[in-house]
Amino acid sequence: MTSAPPSPAARTLPFTAPWLLAPMEGVTEPCFRDLVLSRNAPEHLGGTFTEFVRVHATPVPRAIVRRHIGPSRFPQPVGVQLMGNDLERLAATARNAVAAGAPLVDLNFGCPAKGAIAGCAGSALLRDPAAVERVVRAVASAVFVPVTAKIRAGYDDASRVEELARAAEQGGASMLTVHCRTRAEGYCPEVDWTRIARAARAVSIPVCGNGGVETHADFERLRRETGARLAMVGRGALADPWIFSGRRVSVGESARFLVEYADLMRERNQWPGGGIAARVKQLLRYWTAGGLVENEEHRLVWLREKDGEALLARLRTLAAQP
Ligand SMILES: Cc1cc2nc3c(=O)[nH]c(=O)nc-3n(C[C@H](O)[C@H](O)[C@H](O)COP(=O)(O)O)c2cc1C
């Protein structure tokens, strides 16, 4: 006999603290995530997510999801994020994700990429709150773990953020992350946290506010100003992976992170996109931790280094400092 999945309220969110690392495609693959998790205690960093796993023509098999989860385990949960619009394939992939060990499944309603919009997935679904509700319901009915949803504040504007939040809640989401920018706003520097507050007032499930967290203090400021129970950081953690604890690190410690990142990718034979130095440079584009990048001119010196091995050798020299 199969029993009905538990209600969203009966599914306990597994986060160890109310501060989360955002899913970031091309960045938060297992090597980077593992290093961030290894440097932030569970009371500072409450959990994170895989990059989005795109559900296309067929359900994504368990082995592929397992690759996204990666080999390491930490006290903090790593949710598997899915993006798609086909209810059955999403439901089947969510079951595969749970079988692969996912402690929660997150649904992407925010991706602004042309491919996602053309395929009516990610932020394209923000134009139709009923579709958001259907997608969440299909996945929440398919698995017993918490199912969470991550939306932007809207497609062209934020006028329907309450409606979108309620759609996710009614579909059975156990938590709703609101990235306060609309799809049209992309990744603009300005943020309007009142949109998070509006979503938080519209629903009774926990809301996680996201967008524009740049310092450790911003986590609490966002929660205080919006009523969101959790806060999530994306690029701020690429600038400073220690943002969760607010600990200031030395140049040596900062460089050691990047060197370990390069070594881990080599050890696991895994550096999707561009090679190891390119991945390190991707972080250096944002990096502020430890004053390793002294100013914008210095950043360009790092980024213009054509010889990947020379770049890594310079980092190794700095990493030898205390
Ligand atoms: C490089 C990059 C990749 C991203 N990939 C994803 C993704 O896979 N899934 C998702 O829900 N959001 C993704 N996002 C959005 C972030 O999760 C987050 O919502 C956004 O960056 C706003 O937070 P921030 O202002 O703290 O950076 C991505 C953002 C960036 C910069």
Side-chain angles (χ1 to χ4, degrees), residues 9-286:
R11 306 184 198 195
T12 312
L13 289 170
F15 304 122
T16 56
W19 305 300
L20 308 181
L21 171 64
M24 282 176 280
E25 200 254 335
V27 188
T28 55
E29 42 67 54
C31 296
F32 177 76
R33 272 194 338 247
D34 286 358
L35 289 182
V36 178
L37 286 163
S38 71
R39 278 156 174 83
N40 290 281
E43 63 267 30
H44 295 133
L45 168 54
T48 184
F49 301 85
T50 64
E51 312 163 84
F52 69 71
V53 177
R54 184 77 203 263
V55 181
H56 276 296
T58 55
V60 179
R62 197 186 299 186
I64 303 275
V65 181
R66 200 173 280 132
R67 219 182 294 154
H68 280 278
I69 296 174
S72 311
R73 296 292 172 269
F74 291 85
Q76 298 101 318
V78 175
V80 169
Q81 189 187 66
L82 306 183
M83 180 166 82
N85 64 7
D86 182 281
L87 306 185
E88 278 175 27
R89 289 174 214 147
L90 281 167
T93 304
R95 281 192 290 269
N96 290 345
V98 172
L104 78 147
V105 174
D106 188 54
L107 295 167
N108 180 316
F109 299 105
C111 182
K114 284 203 181 81
I117 307 280
C120 275
S123 67
L125 293 166
L126 297 173
R127 294 176 291 197
D128 183 2
V132 170
E133 183 175 337
R134 278 197 299 276
V135 166
V136 176
R137 177 165 298 116
V139 175
S141 318
V143 294
F144 285 71
V145 299
V147 172
T148 57
K150 182 166 179 283
I151 61 169
R152 281 178 177 254
Y155 190 76
D156 285 324
D157 62 56
S159 59
R160 300 175 84 183
V161 70
E162 289 92 345
E163 214 183 320
L164 287 162
R166 281 193 288 266
E169 179 176 50
Q170 275 156 22
S174 296
M175 180 187 85
L176 172 71
T177 300
V178 180
H179 174 193
C180 61
R181 300 178 183 93
T182 62
R183 190 263 342 160
E185 288 167 344
Y187 292 97
C188 65
E190 301 78 31
V191 286
D192 179 356
W193 286 352
T194 64
R195 298 162 175 181
I196 300 171
R198 282 169 48 204
R201 279 196 300 272
V203 292
S204 55
I205 54 172
V207 163
C208 175
N210 168 237
V213 168
E214 288 174 359
T215 66
H216 177 66
D218 283 345
F219 282 113
E220 276 316 289
R221 193 167 67 80
L222 187 153
R223 294 205 313 154
R224 199 174 53 244
E225 290 181 11
T226 65
R229 279 189 248 173
L230 303 97
M232 175 186 278
V233 64
R235 288 160 300 164
L238 308 185
D240 179 1
W242 293 267
I243 191 171
F244 301 96
S245 65
R247 196 162 74 76
R248 283 173 173 270
V249 297
S250 63
V251 173
E253 196 168 352
S254 172
R256 280 196 289 284
F257 184 107
L258 296 170
V259 167
E260 261 184 63
Y261 181 44
D263 289 346
L264 195 57
M265 286 188 281
R266 187 164 289 144
E267 191 185 304
R268 292 188 185 165
N269 201 17
Q270 192 176 54
W271 52 89
I276 290 176
R279 306 290 292 186
V280 171
K281 275 191 188 174
Q282 188 179 13
L283 289 186
L284 283 169
R285 272 190 191 97
Y286 297 93

